[in-house]
Amino acid sequence: MSEESVFYKRLKGIVKQSGKSVNQIERELGYSRNALNNYKNIIEPSGSRLLKLARYFKVSPEFLIGEAEAPSQTNIEIIFKSLNEKQKLEMLKFCQNWVENIIKNTQFSDK
């Protein structure tokens, strides 16, 4: 049994965070079935496929191939989906308070 590539480990992680199945993502990208599973072994995608996957998941290509430790772009939807219900409610309360403070501290002129 061979070791998974860095690319495949990272791909699996962001697929899981997306809440979608690999097959669903392959369909959305127009790839053949199991196209993404072909990267399980030490195979890396072509440059064009790497860029397409990075844009789809809103991460940097460098992150996907292991040259960066963290994605340079953050997809707030992925982060939100990874939260449990209690955390989502806490986030909602935080955002409501933040917006209320912005509105309260904003001076509106009658021009």
Side-chain angles (χ1 to χ4, degrees), residues 6-7 10 14 59-72:
V6 171
F7 171 78
R10 295 208 171 166
I14 58 177
V59 298
S60 70
E62 293 83 1
F63 170 75
L64 285 175
I65 61 173
E67 292 184 4
E69 287 304 311
S72 63

Side-chain angles (χ1 to χ4, degrees), residues 24-109:
Q24 181 180 357
I25 292 167
E26 289 168 337
R27 282 191 306 272
E28 290 176 5
L29 291 170
Y31 297 162
S32 62
R33 187 176 166 104
N34 294 319
L36 297 179
N37 285 323
N38 291 335
Y39 299 114
K40 188 172 187 175
N41 299 314
I42 312 296
I43 299 169
E44 290 191 356
S46 67
S48 60
R49 183 162 284 187
L50 177 64
L51 291 173
K52 190 171 184 178
L53 288 166
R55 280 193 299 267
Y56 179 85
F57 289 109
K58 298 183 172 97
V59 298
S60 70
E62 293 83 1
F63 170 75
L64 285 175
I65 61 173
E67 292 184 4
E69 287 304 311
S72 63
Q73 301 174 19
T74 303
N75 184 338
I76 194 69
E77 186 177 352
I78 289 175
I79 295 169
F80 188 76
K81 285 180 178 180
S82 71
L83 301 175
N84 64 37
E85 292 305 311
K86 182 180 178 186
Q87 292 169 322
K88 287 177 182 176
L89 288 172
E90 289 173 2
M91 181 67 75
L92 175 61
K93 289 176 187 175
F94 173 81
C95 291
Q96 285 175 327
N97 288 336
W98 180 77
V99 169
E100 288 171 2
N101 284 331
I102 294 291
I103 291 170
K104 184 172 87 174
N105 294 322
T106 301
Q107 299 285 327
F108 293 101
S109 62

